[in-house]
Amino acid sequence: EYFEDLGEVTEAEATRYTELMADAMAAYYLTHKRGGTLNQKRVAQFLQVFYQLGDCSFTSDGHHGTPNQRMAAGEFGFRLADEAQKQGHILTSEQFHELFVAYYPTLIAPDAK
């Protein structure tokens, strides 16, 4: 888990983490050839929606991530799906989570507060 080494975590940070992972998982599923199979144009459309739904309420318990973070989470999920399609398999939820946890610091870095 990402938070194990961070000590006390705010509700806002925990919510952001959960919501960004949900964005990434949605992007992964929607673009995977054994999932929603959306094409590049559709991917760009839903990534734009993620971006528009972002917020900068860093201390709010309902903080879902900044527009940039939400876009980055969607792009992360898309890249994983694209790589999985080339390999022909679906990641387990545990594999996906492990990759997300490893990438999370990079995902939030540009707008981290």
Side-chain angles (χ1 to χ4, degrees):
E1 181 71 27
Y2 174 74
F3 297 121
E4 288 177 1
D5 299 327
L6 297 181
E8 189 174 328
V9 175
T10 67
E11 187 67 30
E13 174 60 25
T15 300
R16 175 176 70 178
Y17 172 84
T18 302
E19 294 299 333
L20 291 176
M21 187 165 49
D23 290 346
M25 289 186 102
Y28 177 78
Y29 170 77
L30 289 172
T31 58
H32 198 287
K33 73 177 180 179
R34 294 175 66 191
T37 66
L38 295 180
N39 64 33
Q40 188 70 28
K41 182 178 178 181
R42 293 279 187 205
V43 171
Q45 290 172 335
F46 79 70
L47 289 176
Q48 187 61 37
V49 169
F50 287 173
Y51 179 85
Q52 292 173 355
L53 293 174
D55 66 80
C56 295
S57 302
F58 296 103
T59 59
S60 169
D61 290 352
H63 180 47
H64 280 51
T66 67
N68 291 332
Q69 291 166 346
R70 295 200 75 184
M71 176 73 82
E75 289 170 345
F76 171 77
F78 170 72
R79 282 192 310 273
L80 287 182
D82 189 50
E83 293 167 9
Q85 289 177 27
K86 293 172 186 164
Q87 297 172 8
H89 73 278
I90 299 172
L91 294 172
T92 66
S93 58
E94 292 83 11
Q95 290 169 323
F96 184 93
H97 182 254
E98 184 177 305
L99 293 168
F100 181 81
V101 168
Y103 188 71
Y104 188 71
T106 301
L107 189 149
I108 65 168
D111 294 337
K113 292 282 181 193

